[in-house]
């Protein structure tokens, strides 16, 4: 029986993973080793019961008594805290879903790879933060990283049987998020509620706001470089409001392979779960005649400074990705709790990158986990400082 673990099981990607595992037969077909959640203890326990998981782990030790109580009468063990979540990744599993949000997903994913597990990676932040480390760990252990981001799953699928040397460019599509048709001058006043109204995708809160600011696409551009080893100048972004073409690969003979489908994360999650085969998935079939039109337009870089910043990060390399992601997470917290405005997020990240590149080791190439975590920490401190300055002058 295939042994699986799901990190971030109670989130948007995690829930859909659990749904697909249950639809495929649940505990009759999969042996669930570990499920992890953050604060949603009731849901974590329900999932553990449904999948008959060996272990359920929550993020905060203060929630452990509640988790134990919710699991009473089951054979599922309970644990809590960041170290316990990382420890759950040490339990032998064949397939591990990495769907914790933010840099907290890095260590468990890395530990799963170091044990040779196939890592279905939704947590793009870990590739942006420590791409080289994840890829080299996977290579040295003969482990696989399978993309779960819909764009990278699309690219992965378009590249099957192809030679990377024949690839001319990768074209990432972007919906443009909730605010894509707002006048530029109104963006500074956008609220959290405005930024959460995504036109096509139902996702977790943080990635939805990152879609509106295109920080999500900026992370994905860096993620593309890490996954596919392609030069940054050959990665393009195009706004595609319908979210039907999930991304494209252009080849040197002029051909473009595009991956189309309904905007439904159960496709890339299910693809990674069933890889290398394809199994039926509960995803709506496209009616192309009904769709009739697909549109594309170049992104406006003044509206989306995050895209320019991603290019700078890729030019610096080293630990710049770790700083970029950490500063972005802190800036997003600042927007979520009302300390800074929507357009200030990019300003905060840029300030952090400027400060760190002027002498705090951003371009350093040593990529041990400790280097990465130290840069993550430093960038968070610098971002908090930048937010307090932004707040005072706003
Ligand atoms: P959610 O916010 O919906 O879920 C995040 C999960 O992580 C939850 O299980 C949450 O627990 C848990 N969690 C939060 N903080 C911590 C922490 N500090 N330690 C341990 N666990 C924690 O996120 P999404 O599912 O939207 O996104 C997950 C990842 O997948 C992100 O990296 C995102 O960028 C990526 N992704 C998401 C897509 C989507 O459609 N949602 C699409 C493509 C990529 P709890 O809820 O119990 O508090």
């Amino acid at each position: 029986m295939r042994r699986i673990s799901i990190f971030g099981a109670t989130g948007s990607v995690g829930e859909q993973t659990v749904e697909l595992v249950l639809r495929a037969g649940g505990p009759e077909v999969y042996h669930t080793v570990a499920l992890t959640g953050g604060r949603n203890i009731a849901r974590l326990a329900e999932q553990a019961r449904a999948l008959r998981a060996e272990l359920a782990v929550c993020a905060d030790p203060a929630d452990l008594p509640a988790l134990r109580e919710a699991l009473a009468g089951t054979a599922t063990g309970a644990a809590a805290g960041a170290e316990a979540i990382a420890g759950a990744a040490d339990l032998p599993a064949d397939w591990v879903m990495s769907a914790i949000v933010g840099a907290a997903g890095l260590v468990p994913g890395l530990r799963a790879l170091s044990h040779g597990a196939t890592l279905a990676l939704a947590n793009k932040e870990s590739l942006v933060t420590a791409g080289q480390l994840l890829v080299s760990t996977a290579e040295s252990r003969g482990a696989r990283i399978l993309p779960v981001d819909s764009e990278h799953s699309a690219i992965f699928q378009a590249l099957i049987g192809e030679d990377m040397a024949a690839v001319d460019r990768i074209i990432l599509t972007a919906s443009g998020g909730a605010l894509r048709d707002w006048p530029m001058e109104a963006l500074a006043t956008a609220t959290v509620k405005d930024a959460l109204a995504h036109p096509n995708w139902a996702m977790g809160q943080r990635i939805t706001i990152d879609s509106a600011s295109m920080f999500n696409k900026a992370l994905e551009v860096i993620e593309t470089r890490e996954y596919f080893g392609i030069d940054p100048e050959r990665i393009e972004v195009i706004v595609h409001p319908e979210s039907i073409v999930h991304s494209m690969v252009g080849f040197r003979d002029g051909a473009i392979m595009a991956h189309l489908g309904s905007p439904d994360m159960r496709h890339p999650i299910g693809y990674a779960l069933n890889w290398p085969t394809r199994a039926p998935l509960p995803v709506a079939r496209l009616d192309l005649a009904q769709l009739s039109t697909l549109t594309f337009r170049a992104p406006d870089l003044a509206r989306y400074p995050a895209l320019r910043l991603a290019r700078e990060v890729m030019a610096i390399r080293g630990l710049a990705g770790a700083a970029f992601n950490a500063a972005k997470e802190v800036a997003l917290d600042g927007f979520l709790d009302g300390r800074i405005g929507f357009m200030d997020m990019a300003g905060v990240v840029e300030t952090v990158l400027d400060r760190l590149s002027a002498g705090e080791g951003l371009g350093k190439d040593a990529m041990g986990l400790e280097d990465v975590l130290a840069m993550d920490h430093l960038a968070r401190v610098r971002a908090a400082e930048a937010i307090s300055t932004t707040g005072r002058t706003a």
Side-chain angles (χ1 to χ4, degrees):
M1 203 181 263
R2 202 159 172 228
R3 294 170 64 87
I4 64 167
S5 289
I6 305 172
F7 288 78
T10 50
S12 168
V13 171
E15 279 284 7
Q16 294 174 85
T17 309
V18 171
E19 179 202 330
L20 292 178
V21 169
L22 284 169
R23 278 177 182 266
E28 309 307 322
V29 175
Y30 291 97
H31 177 92
T32 300
V33 178
L35 295 178
T36 81
R39 302 302 308 263
N40 192 346
I41 305 305
R43 187 63 196 131
L44 180 62
E46 271 170 28
Q47 293 176 332
R49 283 175 188 274
L51 292 174
R52 291 185 226 138
E54 267 180 50
L55 179 68
V57 192
C58 59
D60 188 343
D63 290 326
L64 186 55
L67 181 59
R68 285 211 172 101
E69 192 180 324
L71 289 169
T74 71
T76 303
E83 192 40 50
I85 290 179
D90 291 334
L91 301 174
D94 304 306
W95 186 91
V96 172
M97 167 56 79
S98 168
I100 290 176
V101 66
L106 171 60
V107 172
L110 195 58
R111 296 264 278 260
L113 282 175
S114 75
H115 295 296
T118 294
L119 188 70
L121 188 65
N123 179 262
K124 64 191 85 187
E125 298 90 338
S126 48
L127 258 196
V128 171
T129 301
Q132 269 171 262
L133 187 58
L134 281 171
V135 170
S136 63
T137 304
E139 279 171 5
S140 69
R141 304 297 155 140
R144 265 272 176 187
I145 306 176
L146 296 175
V148 172
D149 232 340
S150 59
E151 293 79 356
H152 304 82
S153 176
I155 297 161
F156 182 88
Q157 293 178 55
L159 283 171
I160 290 171
E162 302 288 353
D163 180 357
M164 270 314 284
V167 173
D168 206 23
R169 57 188 175 143
I170 288 180
I171 307 164
L172 287 172
T173 50
S175 70
L179 310 176
R180 82 176 162 229
D181 297 321
W182 279 40
M184 183 70 188
E185 58 282 6
L187 289 177
T189 62
T191 63
V192 170
K193 189 163 170 253
D194 296 328
L196 279 175
H198 199 289
N200 307 332
W201 292 94
M203 306 184 286
Q205 184 192 53
R206 299 182 73 89
I207 185 175
T208 305
I209 293 175
D210 284 350
S211 292
S213 63
M214 285 251 201
F215 265 109
N216 180 48
K217 206 52 54 183
L219 296 176
E220 288 176 9
V221 170
I222 302 170
E223 197 187 357
T224 301
R225 202 260 318 261
E226 300 299 341
Y227 267 130
F228 304 107
I230 185 167
D231 291 338
E233 54 277 15
R234 294 196 288 134
I235 306 171
E236 299 172 13
V237 172
I238 190 125
V239 176
H240 168 47
E242 295 86 3
S243 297
I244 296 295
V245 176
H246 297 315
S247 278
M248 295 171 262
V249 179
F251 294 91
R252 63 185 170 200
D253 60 359
I256 292 180
M257 300 288 277
H259 179 286
L260 280 72
S262 303
D264 185 332
M265 280 304 293
R266 292 175 304 178
H267 173 75
I269 296 168
Y271 181 79
L273 182 63
N274 296 305
W275 180 87
T277 59
R278 288 184 189 270
L281 293 172
V283 173
R285 291 339 188 214
L286 282 186
D287 180 341
L288 292 168
Q290 172 84 25
L291 269 173
S292 101
T293 315
L294 296 176
T295 57
F296 302 92
R297 60 183 192 240
D300 172 356
L301 293 186
R303 175 182 276 271
Y304 302 119
L307 292 179
R308 173 178 53 79
L309 294 174
R311 302 274 166 202
E312 290 175 18
V313 166
M314 290 189 292
I316 302 169
R317 298 211 67 161
L319 294 165
F324 180 67
N325 180 66
K328 191 279 298 174
E329 289 190 17
V330 174
L332 176 56
D333 289 337
F335 174 61
L336 283 170
D337 61 25
R339 283 175 293 147
I340 56 172
F342 181 76
M343 290 305 276
D344 293 329
M345 288 191 283
V348 166
V349 174
E350 185 155 20
T351 302
V352 172
L353 290 175
D354 286 350
R355 282 202 60 184
L356 294 179
S357 53
E360 290 185 288
L362 207 58
K364 186 179 166 198
D365 246 345
M367 276 286 254
L369 181 59
E370 289 191 355
D371 299 310
V372 170
L373 296 179
M375 181 52 77
D376 177 277
H377 176 72
L378 182 59
R380 284 174 199 274
V381 172
R382 295 287 173 265
E385 290 165 3
I387 287 180
S388 60
T389 315
T390 308
R392 274 202 298 277
T393 54

